[in-house]
Amino acid sequence: MLISNSIGIVADDLTGANDTALQFFMKGSNTEIILDVNSLNENHLNVETWALCNETRNIPPEDAGRIVFETTKLLKEKFGIEYFYKKIDSTLRGNISVEILAILEATGYDAAIVAPAFVQEGRITIGGYQLLKGIPIERTDAARDPKAPIYESYIPDILKRGLSESAQKLVASIEMKTIAKGAGPIALKLNELISQGKKLIVMDAVSTVDFEQIVLAMQKSSCNILPAGSAGLAHALGGVWLGEIKQPVQKKVPLLPKLILSGSATSLTALQIKKLQMDTDIENTYFIPLRLDDVLKDPDETMIERIASNLTKENIVAVHVSELEEELTKDDAKNRLIDDGITKEGLATKITDFLAKLAYEVKKRAEFILITIGGETSYRCSKAINCEYLQVVDAILPSIPLCMDSNAQLVVTKSGNLGTSSTLIEIVKYFEHHENE
């Protein structure tokens, strides 16, 4: 594995692209996230790491495979990307197997290691099973995702479900009994499986040491291997691919109000919102919980003006759907959705549509730092404010970057399933410590 200044991350949603890009930024790489492949051009100077958000998580597999193949070829041919990283969701949502195979086809790599563990966030792989803080992912909020629910926790079966019967033979795994022995035995097993025609090789990982040994095994292997994983594996790869680590310059940010737009209905997001509300050290916060009646129509002028008028000085305005889940347990709400023919997936789309329109309208009236929660919410709201690409400018937390968009707007994105109960508070306090009036 040679040192490279040209890394390409291919992701299926924006928060995943961002948290993975951050891992290379923290090693000193000039890093940009592209929201629209059509905006790619040679005017982006000195970029060492590209992260491309294809937004393919919730589309048909055949479309996802085609898009990933085409965009990977574009990155390789137009920018001479040497090393590719396939970002996959650590709760295994999306068209994972199809997209990995598409990159293998586009690049000519021999096989992929599939390592979705994110140890720093309590997500480990053991015996091929994915656990979130010790709980199988099929028993977590991921199982209730309205667009990409998870029904099982055994990764080889999840990968096979997205493949034809003949292609299912491409899946294999290397379990902890081999991983624990270190890079040499892992490399030997990789070579053996690849010689048997395996293309998707699931890797157990329960610690950062496991990631380090997996990366060393990739170096020792005689095969050309595509890494596919979460931000955890990317963190271990950064120092190897980029060579000498350069410390990023600490960022000073302008004193601006913050607009939090949360389309995530996870229990963790609800807890993060509640903790922010209860924090007595953070003042001038305004919370607007959205109701079903709100999201089934466009944002009205009263709400838009209410938000814009409060976005002054260091104020924080948080618009969220954390109370909507409880409303949906009531018969009136259930019957309304049935009468209108709206599915859970359809409601999720209406929520992101509403928040994107809100971002667009408020942006015309006020300046603010945008903080979004939820992968699709982050993508749609960023696009709504005419963002073509994001440049990572600082690390707020180890998996949450501060970005500046193509119009010099500051943007923070966070997955709905990521962090602890205090993560939103930590994001807000980051700005208190870094703002420059």
Side-chain angles (χ1 to χ4, degrees):
M1 189 182 298
L2 300 175
I3 302 301
S4 171
N5 287 323
S6 183
I7 298 169
I9 302 164
V10 181
D12 68 353
D13 85 331
L14 183 56
T15 54
N18 287 356
D19 66 30
T20 304
L22 177 61
Q23 308 313 308
F24 296 100
F25 170 82
M26 289 192 295
K27 305 297 186 188
S29 177
N30 189 2
T31 304
E32 287 191 6
I33 301 99
I34 304 298
L35 280 74
D36 184 354
V37 70
N38 296 317
S39 70
L40 279 173
N41 59 64
E42 289 81 2
N43 295 328
H44 299 246
L45 300 177
N46 303 317
V47 176
E48 298 166 310
T49 300
W50 301 88
L52 179 59
C53 170
N54 282 314
E55 200 64 12
T56 51
R57 177 170 297 176
N58 301 314
I59 67 175
E62 58 274 16
D63 293 335
R66 174 183 52 78
I67 291 170
V68 168
F69 176 82
E70 291 173 353
T71 54
T72 301
K73 291 284 283 186
L74 188 150
L75 282 175
K76 184 177 181 180
E77 294 169 1
K78 194 168 186 177
F79 294 96
I81 300 296
E82 281 188 84
Y83 295 112
F84 282 88
Y85 187 89
K86 178 63 180 86
K87 167 61 172 71
I88 62 176
D89 179 45
S90 58
T91 58
L92 283 302
R93 294 169 296 171
N95 299 296
I96 294 173
S97 52
V98 171
E99 294 193 14
I100 294 174
L101 289 174
I103 296 181
L104 292 179
E105 183 182 358
T107 60
Y109 281 42
D110 297 311
I113 59 168
V114 182
F118 194 174
V119 176
Q120 298 90 326
E121 289 291 325
R123 301 167 190 200
I124 65 170
T125 308
I126 186 73
Y129 285 86
Q130 191 74 349
L131 306 180
L132 172 54
K133 297 179 180 176
I135 300 172
I137 55 171
E138 64 194 273
R139 297 179 185 170
T140 68
D141 277 340
R144 296 182 289 277
D145 187 292
K147 292 192 175 182
I150 294 296
Y151 301 110
E152 53 195 325
S153 306
Y154 188 55
I155 300 171
D157 285 350
I158 293 173
L159 297 179
K160 289 177 182 178
R161 186 160 36 85
L163 300 173
S164 65
E165 186 174 348
S166 61
Q168 291 178 8
K169 298 176 183 178
L170 302 175
V171 179
S173 60
I174 299 180
E175 296 188 354
M176 186 52 62
K177 63 181 180 180
T178 301
I179 301 292
K181 293 176 182 177
I186 297 170
L188 289 173
K189 189 63 176 179
L190 276 172
N191 291 341
E192 175 190 338
L193 291 172
I194 295 170
S195 70
Q196 296 171 1
K198 305 301 182 183
K199 296 288 187 182
L200 306 173
I201 303 172
V202 179
M203 313 292 284
D204 276 4
V206 299
S207 72
T208 55
V209 173
D210 295 332
F211 287 135
E212 292 165 1
Q213 293 304 308
I214 290 169
V215 169
L216 286 173
M218 289 175 58
Q219 291 178 277
K220 290 177 176 289
S221 172
S222 58
C223 301
N224 197 7
I225 298 171
L226 170 72
S230 71
L233 179 61
H235 181 77
L237 274 166
V240 175
W241 277 357
L242 293 165
E244 184 180 353
I245 296 174
K246 299 172 288 184
Q247 291 299 323
V249 177
Q250 196 167 43
K251 180 73 176 176
K252 283 289 185 182
V253 299
L255 180 60
L256 287 171
K258 289 85 187 169
L259 175 60
I260 300 172
L261 297 178
S262 174
S264 169
T266 67
S267 56
L268 177 58
T269 297
L271 182 57
Q272 290 167 346
I273 293 285
K274 186 176 180 180
K275 282 275 192 177
L276 181 61
Q277 285 180 292
M278 295 173 62
D279 194 288
T280 55
D281 292 333
I282 299 174
E283 300 178 341
N284 302 316
T285 54
Y286 301 84
F287 294 86
I288 302 176
L290 295 177
R291 307 298 180 190
L292 183 61
D293 188 54
D294 294 319
V295 300
L296 292 183
K297 58 186 180 183
D298 288 343
D300 60 36
E301 192 64 26
T302 301
M303 178 179 289
I304 294 166
E305 284 299 328
R306 178 185 172 194
I307 294 170
S309 63
N310 279 296
L311 285 171
T312 59
K313 298 183 179 179
E314 65 268 38
N315 286 3
I316 301 165
V317 179
V319 184
H320 63 91
V321 295
S322 294
E323 297 179 15
L324 188 57
E325 194 73 16
E326 182 179 352
E327 183 182 357
L328 293 175
T329 63
K330 298 176 181 178
D331 289 341
D332 286 350
K334 290 179 182 177
N335 291 335
R336 181 170 182 184
L337 292 178
I338 292 171
D339 291 343
D340 291 347
I342 301 172
T343 63
K344 285 186 177 180
E345 182 177 350
L347 180 59
T349 298
K350 286 187 175 294
I351 289 170
T352 51
D353 285 347
F354 181 92
L355 292 172
K357 291 172 183 175
L358 194 62
Y360 173 78
E361 292 296 337
V362 174
K363 179 62 179 171
K364 292 192 293 186
R365 296 163 170 80
E367 291 296 317
F368 51 83
I369 295 170
L370 178 63
I371 301 171
T372 57
I373 305 176
E376 194 163 351
T377 297
S378 297
Y379 180 82
R380 292 291 308 283
C381 290
S382 296
K383 293 289 286 184
I385 60 172
N386 297 317
C387 173
E388 294 181 354
Y389 64 87
L390 297 168
Q391 182 177 27
V392 181
V393 295
D394 203 2
I396 294 178
L397 291 169
S399 55
I400 299 178
L402 173 65
C403 297
M404 181 176 289
D405 77 0
S406 44
N407 302 303
Q409 164 105 22
L410 291 174
V411 178
V412 180
T413 66
K414 190 192 82 66
S415 167
N417 282 308
L418 187 141
T420 66
S421 62
S422 62
T423 294
L424 200 49
I425 292 172
E426 292 179 77
I427 292 172
V428 170
K429 289 190 173 180
Y430 164 89
F431 289 105
E432 292 180 358
H433 298 147
H434 292 80
E435 284 172 331
N436 185 21
E437 294 191 51

